Amino acid sequence: MDQHIAEAIGRPDLIRLDDRLVCLRFETMKAVSALAAVRHLLDTGAVRRGDTLLDSSSGIYAYALALACHRYGMRCHIVGSTTVDHTLRTQLAVLGATLEQMEPCSDLKLDQKRRVERIHDILAEHPEYHWMRQYHDDIHYLGYAAVADRIRETLGTDGLTVVGGVGSGASTGALARYLRASPDSRGSDGRGPDGRGAGRRAADVELVGVQPYGSITFGAGHIADPEIIIAGIGSSIPFGNVSHELYDALHWISFDAALAGSVDLLRRHAVFAGLSSGAGYLAARHERDRSPERTVLFVAADTGHRYADTVHARHRQAVPLCDLAPQEVTDQSRLALPWSRMQWNRARATAP
């Protein structure tokens, strides 16, 4: 039996959509990483109950950290993006978290820059606060060990392709590390020999990342999406938790293409999920079709409630998936809307 609602919220469902396509569906994915991270900080003495935990968020992590703080008796302070909506603001307030929300801004880079600057201001005023650094501290990998174990037990790891948003690097990166490592190679804290879950390579697990246009993480900062950058799966600033060498291939997917994926996912499979899930579903279908011998699992990070008005209500505008296909490119200079794909081949990060 769960001891707190956060544990139930963070536990994903494995849903088989067809013989070779599986959805790893979360209600709120980052509850997994936030719970494990806070528990690790308490266990190691880095923080104590009653301390204030601080971070910046575009939405999902704010909720996850507020839940983890509620679970472990901590205080929570969030510097939030303009994308934090009324429902989430209300939930944070009732949970006891404090929220500072940035003024509206159409420039994601400026929004992220302002949030980081405000974090530093707060730390100067309150040096006793603990900055969670979700984008840079690899303790956010830890919660995905149990998720990887469940995937391994249910699907196996031979001929498995994992598809999902890159984002901060913690979710898809951690799943790949844990799935590629033998479970007995982890240290006592759940990490592998390199401190991030990387142990002896055990099986044939490929990792395919999904990015929005405008994200610098894999070199698409020079292309703007005419709609919006898909929050949560890309970045306009470098993220320390992204291990580029884990990824076998990348898909860059526009808002319109992701919208079509989200609508089709609901219409065809009755899975009500967010915009990043729609992008992952679109990429996963393509990977399934190009590799008939592999099972493809994609990550659906959250439900579709935040996107009901901006995505699902526009279902009549959605392009049929049969009309969409990625343009295969060999370098980022050839990226083009609405959808591009590139073999990454586990290369290390290149200079911006």
Side-chain angles (χ1 to χ4, degrees):
M1 181 181 296
D2 293 321
Q3 301 303 306
H4 192 272
I5 186 63
E7 296 160 5
I9 288 174
R11 185 182 304 107
D13 303 307
L14 277 168
I15 305 168
R16 184 174 292 281
L17 303 187
D18 65 30
D19 288 347
R20 295 188 300 104
L21 185 62
V22 178
C23 177
L24 181 68
R25 178 196 174 273
F26 291 86
E27 182 173 342
T28 300
M29 181 182 70
K30 289 190 176 181
V32 173
S33 54
L35 274 175
V38 174
R39 186 168 59 247
H40 181 76
L41 291 171
L42 286 166
D43 290 345
T44 57
V47 300
R48 296 178 298 178
R49 288 181 182 271
D51 285 354
T52 298
L53 304 184
L54 167 72
D55 215 340
S56 165
S57 173
S58 60
I60 297 177
Y61 186 79
Y63 180 49
L65 185 59
L67 287 171
C69 288
H70 188 277
R71 167 71 176 85
Y72 291 112
M74 317 289 289
R75 295 184 175 89
C76 178
H77 190 96
I78 298 293
V79 177
S81 168
T82 59
T83 58
V84 177
D85 60 21
H86 173 73
T87 300
L88 180 54
R89 289 196 299 270
T90 302
Q91 286 176 292
L92 293 176
V94 176
L95 285 168
T98 55
L99 170 68
E100 293 185 41
Q101 190 167 10
M102 295 290 99
E103 293 296 321
C105 177
S106 60
D107 186 332
L108 178 67
K109 184 173 183 178
L110 180 58
D111 179 62
Q112 289 182 324
K113 181 174 181 291
R114 289 190 306 180
R115 281 189 276 143
V116 172
E117 289 174 348
R118 179 56 187 150
I119 290 285
H120 287 293
D121 290 342
I122 293 170
L123 289 172
E125 299 168 12
H126 298 280
E128 74 278 11
Y129 286 8
H130 181 87
W131 184 12
M132 292 298 294
R133 302 176 75 246
Q134 64 150 322
Y135 304 132
H136 305 290
D137 193 332
D138 65 9
I139 60 172
H140 291 90
Y141 274 54
L142 297 176
Y144 294 99
V147 179
D149 287 344
R150 185 175 172 205
I151 294 169
R152 181 185 291 107
E153 292 165 4
T154 305
L155 298 176
T157 52
D158 289 328
L160 178 66
T161 298
V162 176
V163 179
V166 176
S168 69
S171 58
T172 50
L175 287 175
R177 285 188 182 272
Y178 286 125
L179 287 167
R180 289 170 180 169
S182 70
D184 59 4
S185 68
R186 299 175 196 153
S188 59
D189 64 355
R191 303 179 186 185
D194 71 346
R196 299 180 78 173
R200 177 175 56 83
R201 184 67 57 79
D204 174 19
V205 176
E206 292 187 353
L207 180 61
V208 176
V210 179
Q211 285 272 275
Y213 292 94
S215 173
I216 71 166
T217 308
F218 283 89
H222 60 291
I223 299 182
D225 192 317
E227 282 272 2
I228 62 167
I229 187 171
I230 304 172
I233 66 171
S235 177
S236 63
I237 59 176
F239 284 170
N241 273 340
V242 177
S243 295
H244 293 71
E245 66 274 12
L246 293 174
Y247 294 85
D248 295 281
L250 271 298
H251 288 253
W252 289 267
I253 295 177
S254 70
F255 174 91
D256 287 338
L259 181 150
S262 298
V263 169
D264 191 87
L265 182 59
L266 178 57
R267 178 179 290 136
R268 191 185 305 261
H269 300 290
V271 176
F272 185 47
L275 196 58
S276 67
S277 305
Y281 169 65
L282 194 63
R285 283 171 53 93
H286 179 79
E287 295 299 322
R288 176 202 60 188
D289 293 344
R290 68 179 282 126
S291 300
E293 74 286 359
R294 303 186 70 82
T295 296
V296 180
L297 175 144
F298 73 95
V299 178
D302 62 350
T303 66
H305 295 87
R306 289 201 303 158
Y307 306 92
D309 293 333
T310 57
V311 174
H312 299 92
R314 297 169 59 179
H315 61 91
R316 291 183 181 85
Q317 304 171 26
V319 177
L321 295 199
C322 60
D323 293 344
L324 291 170
Q327 172 179 298
E328 293 284 341
V329 301
T330 55
D331 64 74
Q332 293 93 326
S333 67
R334 299 180 180 273
L335 292 174
L337 294 159
W339 182 8
S340 297
R341 183 189 184 278
M342 177 177 164
Q343 285 296 131
W344 187 257
N345 299 318
R346 305 190 190 185
R348 293 191 176 275
T350 54

